[in-house]
Amino acid sequence: MAYETLFTPTNLGSLSIPNRVIMAPLTRSRTPDSVPGKMQEAYYGQRAGSGLIISEATNISPTARGYVYTPGIWTDAQEAGWKGVVNAVHAKGGRMALQLWHVGRVSHEMVQPDGQQPVAPSALKGEGAQCFVEFEDGTAGQHPTSTPRALETDEIPGIVEDYRQAAERAKRAGFDMVEVHAANAYLLNQFLATGTNKRTDQYGGSLENRARFPLEVVDAVIDVFGADRVGIRMTPFIELFGLTDDEPEAMAFYMAEQLSKRGLAYLHLNEPNWAGGDITFPDGFREQMRERFSGSLIYCGNYDAERAEKRISENTTDAVAFGRPYIANPDLPERFRVNAPLTEPNHETFYGGDEKGYTDYPFMDNGYDRKG
């Protein structure tokens, strides 16, 4: 079938994009020193045909980390590394956003500077949560998270400043936009949810108080980039790493209204049922989000081109983000455009390693064998 709507240009805030096929943030764990390099330049450059590339989640500070081999944006070397990546994407006509990440309690002392405790809204361990650590023998693997300590009230402005500084570095590196990661049971999501936020100060309790810190982060990033170049990713209704929430819909609607007042470029909603997608959102939820948020809406979660086209055509979303299909199909938009078959990804090479399963997937070019 022809996917006409999927390939119409649109705007995300003040950024014009040529199509509605967004590359979702994908952690690939291939920066052992936390500094992006030539492999990342090749990988993202290959995928420059996306309407917008959203980078893999990028740690805003040393204490934001929960997974080794993930990139950062708090040092000069990291900033320079990302600048090389952005230049590679821009050279091929692409557009790129940096996703700003703090894992909160999804971490362990082995990943933290000087072996300190991870931080969170409250001192509650994520039951069943796993982080990714490097062991004494030099190998790496999953490890249960440790019990975090609750952030003191007077520490929170310092983390807001970490986000601001990360945004400053992202701007100097040349990114077109930034995306605030407030999803998937990480720090900002932990503040939003009732099950992980048991605070009694101005950052806990009511809906407005639980949203205060995430909105302060958004405001700090807006000060750097302008609201029309800032997006946010959220996962309403998610239950992950022990996170639960008694008011997911009310919080999603409140955040949408507050973000709309700020003129945010886009709201990126990740559907937490990665096996199916649709069933996790109540009837009418998408329509109500459209009413409450004036910027662009992006949805992500096990979509194919046909479902994406349907969502855009019915005006419940403006663009759709694709994750796993982008791993194995660097030219995903073009494959959708001509109804070409998709390459299946090798799950064994999702995380860690070298170019294998990273930059060596074939492009479509008649015989489907051209490399980038």
Side-chain angles (χ1 to χ4, degrees):
M1 66 179 288
Y3 302 114
E4 295 178 1
T5 309
L6 195 57
F7 292 100
T8 56
T10 190
N11 294 322
L12 300 176
S14 62
L15 182 69
S16 297
I17 62 172
N19 62 63
R20 318 298 184 97
V21 183
I22 307 299
M23 180 176 169
L26 292 161
T27 292
R28 305 301 307 277
S29 299
R30 280 173 165 84
T31 52
D33 55 1
S34 294
V35 177
K38 295 300 181 183
M39 272 206 309
Q40 285 70 38
E41 291 178 19
Y43 171 74
Y44 285 111
Q46 288 175 341
R47 289 153 179 82
S50 168
L52 176 72
I53 293 172
I54 304 172
S55 80
E56 62 206 277
T58 300
N59 304 292
I60 62 166
S61 69
T63 56
R65 298 171 70 233
Y67 304 81
V68 295
Y69 310 157
T70 54
I73 188 66
W74 72 85
T75 71
D76 291 345
Q78 292 163 348
E79 180 183 323
W82 278 121
K83 186 175 182 64
V85 172
V86 173
N87 287 345
V89 170
H90 285 171
K92 294 188 177 182
R95 297 146 189 82
M96 190 168 185
L98 183 71
Q99 190 188 62
L100 304 176
W101 189 29
H102 192 308
V103 302
R105 71 179 189 173
V106 188
S107 188
H108 191 277
E109 286 85 348
M110 283 188 282
V111 187
Q112 292 289 308
D114 303 318
Q116 63 192 36
Q117 277 183 287
V119 297
S122 304
L124 300 170
K125 183 177 180 178
E127 296 303 324
Q130 300 277 327
C131 54
F132 200 71
V133 305
E134 191 168 58
F135 301 107
E136 291 184 359
D137 63 2
T139 62
Q142 289 190 328
H143 191 282
T145 59
S146 53
T147 302
R149 67 173 182 84
L151 281 163
E152 298 293 339
T153 304
D154 61 6
E155 291 181 290
I156 291 177
I159 297 184
V160 174
E161 183 60 24
D162 287 341
Y163 277 96
R164 184 194 305 276
Q165 291 296 325
E168 293 276 11
R169 288 188 178 277
K171 189 172 186 178
R172 290 198 297 266
F175 283 96
D176 301 287
M177 308 185 81
V178 287
E179 179 177 279
V180 174
H181 194 346
N184 295 3
Y186 296 120
L187 182 65
L188 299 186
N189 197 176
Q190 291 160 26
F191 270 83
L192 293 170
T194 59
T196 43
N197 186 341
K198 303 298 184 182
R199 301 178 73 90
T200 57
D201 62 3
Q202 66 264 39
Y203 293 100
S206 68
L207 255 163
E208 294 80 5
N209 281 357
R210 284 183 281 118
R212 189 183 308 276
F213 173 44
L215 290 173
E216 288 177 350
V217 168
V218 169
D219 288 340
V221 173
I222 286 174
D223 285 346
V224 177
F225 264 85
D228 60 348
R229 292 297 180 113
V230 175
I232 188 170
R233 195 181 213 215
M234 296 175 58
T235 43
F237 312 102
I238 198 169
E239 293 186 357
L240 181 67
F241 304 149
L243 180 144
T244 59
D245 191 0
D246 296 332
E247 300 180 306
E249 188 170 60
M251 179 59 83
F253 291 160
Y254 176 75
M255 285 291 290
E257 291 165 355
Q258 293 300 310
L259 297 167
S260 187
K261 289 178 182 178
R262 288 161 168 80
L264 215 68
Y266 71 79
L267 172 54
H268 181 184
L269 294 164
N270 186 19
E271 302 175 37
N273 184 346
W274 288 284
D278 277 353
I279 64 172
T280 57
F281 288 165
D283 289 343
F285 175 80
R286 290 181 177 85
E287 290 76 10
Q288 291 201 55
M289 291 300 285
R290 175 64 90 189
E291 292 176 7
R292 286 170 164 82
F293 184 68
S294 59
S296 296
L297 288 171
I298 301 172
Y299 282 89
C300 180
N302 202 42
Y303 278 86
D304 58 20
E306 185 173 353
R307 289 183 62 229
E309 176 79 8
K310 180 177 182 293
R311 289 282 181 230
I312 297 167
S313 298
E314 69 188 17
N315 196 36
T316 53
T317 190
D318 297 287
V320 172
F322 298 85
R324 284 164 289 183
Y326 251 122
I327 290 176
N329 299 275
D331 53 355
L332 185 66
E334 188 60 22
R335 288 179 185 251
F336 283 163
R337 190 190 301 274
V338 299
N339 290 302
L342 300 185
T343 305
E344 289 297 317
N346 178 359
H347 291 244
E348 294 181 359
T349 59
F350 275 6
Y351 306 108
D354 53 20
E355 291 87 351
K356 183 179 180 181
Y358 191 57
T359 59
D360 63 345
Y361 282 108
F363 277 67
M364 180 201 69
D365 185 11
N366 298 325
Y368 307 114
D369 61 356
R370 182 175 65 84
K371 299 294 177 69

